[in-house]
Protein backbone atom coordinates (compact mmCIF):
# COMPACT_ATOMS: atom_id res chain seq x y z
CA UNK A 1 0.00 0.00 0.00
CA UNK A 2 1.44 3.32 -1.00
CA UNK A 3 1.32 6.47 0.99
CA UNK A 4 0.34 9.65 -0.83
CA UNK A 5 3.25 11.53 0.74
CA UNK A 6 5.92 9.19 -0.63
CA UNK A 7 7.69 9.70 -3.86
CA UNK A 8 6.49 7.58 -6.75
CA UNK A 9 9.85 5.91 -7.38
CA UNK A 10 10.26 4.70 -3.75
CA UNK A 11 9.75 0.97 -3.45
CA UNK A 12 8.60 -0.68 -0.25
CA UNK A 13 11.25 -3.06 1.08
CA UNK A 14 10.23 -6.69 1.15
CA UNK A 15 10.37 -8.17 4.64
CA UNK A 16 13.07 -10.78 5.15
CA UNK A 17 11.67 -14.18 6.07
CA UNK A 18 12.30 -15.25 9.64
CA UNK A 19 13.97 -18.68 9.69
CA UNK A 20 11.86 -21.31 11.39
CA UNK A 21 13.20 -22.74 14.62
CA UNK A 22 14.79 -26.12 14.04
CA UNK A 23 13.26 -29.14 15.67
CA UNK A 24 15.20 -31.59 17.80
CA UNK A 25 18.46 -31.20 19.66
CA UNK A 26 20.43 -28.06 18.92
CA UNK A 27 23.72 -28.69 17.15
CA UNK A 28 26.92 -28.35 19.10
CA UNK A 29 29.15 -28.29 16.06
CA UNK A 30 28.71 -27.89 12.30
CA UNK A 31 27.48 -31.46 11.96
CA UNK A 32 25.17 -33.33 14.33
CA UNK A 33 26.74 -35.78 16.77
CA UNK A 34 26.39 -39.48 16.13
CA UNK A 35 24.77 -41.66 18.78
CA UNK A 36 28.18 -43.01 19.80
CA UNK A 37 29.63 -39.51 20.21
CA UNK A 38 26.60 -38.39 22.21
CA UNK A 39 26.88 -41.44 24.49
CA UNK A 40 30.59 -40.79 24.96
CA UNK A 41 29.92 -37.18 25.99
CA UNK A 42 27.17 -38.35 28.39
CA UNK A 43 29.44 -40.91 30.06
CA UNK A 44 32.27 -38.38 30.33
CA UNK A 45 29.99 -35.81 31.98
CA UNK A 46 28.63 -38.40 34.39
CA UNK A 47 32.12 -39.59 35.26
CA UNK A 48 33.08 -36.25 36.79
CA UNK A 49 29.86 -35.66 38.71
CA UNK A 50 31.05 -34.10 41.96
CA UNK A 51 27.66 -33.82 43.65
CA UNK A 52 27.22 -35.00 47.21
CA UNK A 53 25.86 -38.43 47.95
CA UNK A 54 22.38 -37.16 48.81
CA UNK A 55 22.13 -35.10 45.61
CA UNK A 56 23.64 -37.50 43.07
CA UNK A 57 21.40 -39.40 40.70
CA UNK A 58 21.01 -43.17 40.77
CA UNK A 59 23.17 -43.86 37.68
CA UNK A 60 26.00 -41.86 39.20
CA UNK A 61 25.62 -43.75 42.46
CA UNK A 62 25.74 -47.04 40.54
CA UNK A 63 28.92 -45.90 38.75
CA UNK A 64 30.50 -45.04 42.09
CA UNK A 65 29.43 -48.39 43.51
CA UNK A 66 30.94 -50.15 40.50
CA UNK A 67 34.22 -48.32 41.05
CA UNK A 68 34.24 -49.30 44.73
CA UNK A 69 33.57 -52.96 43.89
CA UNK A 70 36.33 -52.94 41.29
CA UNK A 71 38.93 -51.45 43.66
CA UNK A 72 37.88 -52.92 47.02
CA UNK A 73 40.84 -55.32 47.16
CA UNK A 74 43.51 -52.68 46.56
CA UNK A 75 42.20 -49.50 48.14
CA UNK A 76 41.20 -48.69 51.70
CA UNK A 77 39.12 -45.77 50.38
CA UNK A 78 37.18 -48.12 48.12
CA UNK A 79 36.30 -50.44 51.01
CA UNK A 80 34.98 -47.53 53.07
CA UNK A 81 33.14 -46.08 50.08
CA UNK A 82 31.54 -49.44 49.30
CA UNK A 83 29.73 -49.47 52.64
CA UNK A 84 28.61 -45.86 52.23
CA UNK A 85 27.26 -46.42 48.71
CA UNK A 86 25.43 -49.60 49.68
CA UNK A 87 23.82 -47.86 52.65
CA UNK A 88 22.70 -45.03 50.40
CA UNK A 89 21.13 -47.47 47.92
CA UNK A 90 19.26 -49.22 50.72
CA UNK A 91 18.12 -45.89 52.12
CA UNK A 92 16.79 -44.78 48.74
CA UNK A 93 15.15 -47.95 47.49
CA UNK A 94 14.25 -50.17 50.42
CA UNK A 95 10.60 -50.02 51.36
CA UNK A 96 11.43 -49.16 54.99
CA UNK A 97 14.00 -46.47 54.10
CA UNK A 98 16.42 -45.56 56.87
CA UNK A 99 14.72 -47.91 59.34
CA UNK A 100 15.99 -50.88 57.30
CA UNK A 101 19.55 -50.05 58.34
CA UNK A 102 18.90 -50.33 62.07
Amino acid sequence: MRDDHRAVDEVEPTPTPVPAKRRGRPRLYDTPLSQAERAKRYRKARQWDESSLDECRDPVLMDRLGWALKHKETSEDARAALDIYLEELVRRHHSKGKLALR
Side-chain angles (χ1 to χ4, degrees), residues 21-61:
K21 185 175 179 183
R22 300 185 131 218
R23 295 177 57 183
R25 286 189 184 100
R27 290 184 177 179
L28 295 176
Y29 305 106
D30 293 337
T31 59
L33 295 175
S34 69
Q35 291 295 329
E37 291 169 331
R38 189 173 293 115
K40 182 180 176 182
R41 288 174 57 91
Y42 173 75
R43 287 190 306 269
K44 186 77 170 174
R46 218 173 66 180
Q47 177 182 5
W48 300 110
D49 191 352
E50 299 279 331
S51 58
S52 69
L53 197 57
D54 292 334
E55 297 170 353
C56 74
R57 300 169 306 190
D58 286 346
V60 174
L61 184 61

Side-chain angles (χ1 to χ4, degrees), residues 65-74 78:
L65 182 63
W67 175 86
L69 285 170
K70 184 177 177 182
H71 295 94
K72 70 179 180 181
E73 301 297 328
T74 59

Side-chain angles (χ1 to χ4, degrees), residues 3-19:
D3 191 7
D4 293 336
H5 301 288
R6 286 190 188 176
V8 176
D9 54 340
E10 267 188 53
V11 179
E12 290 184 16
T14 58
T16 58
V18 177

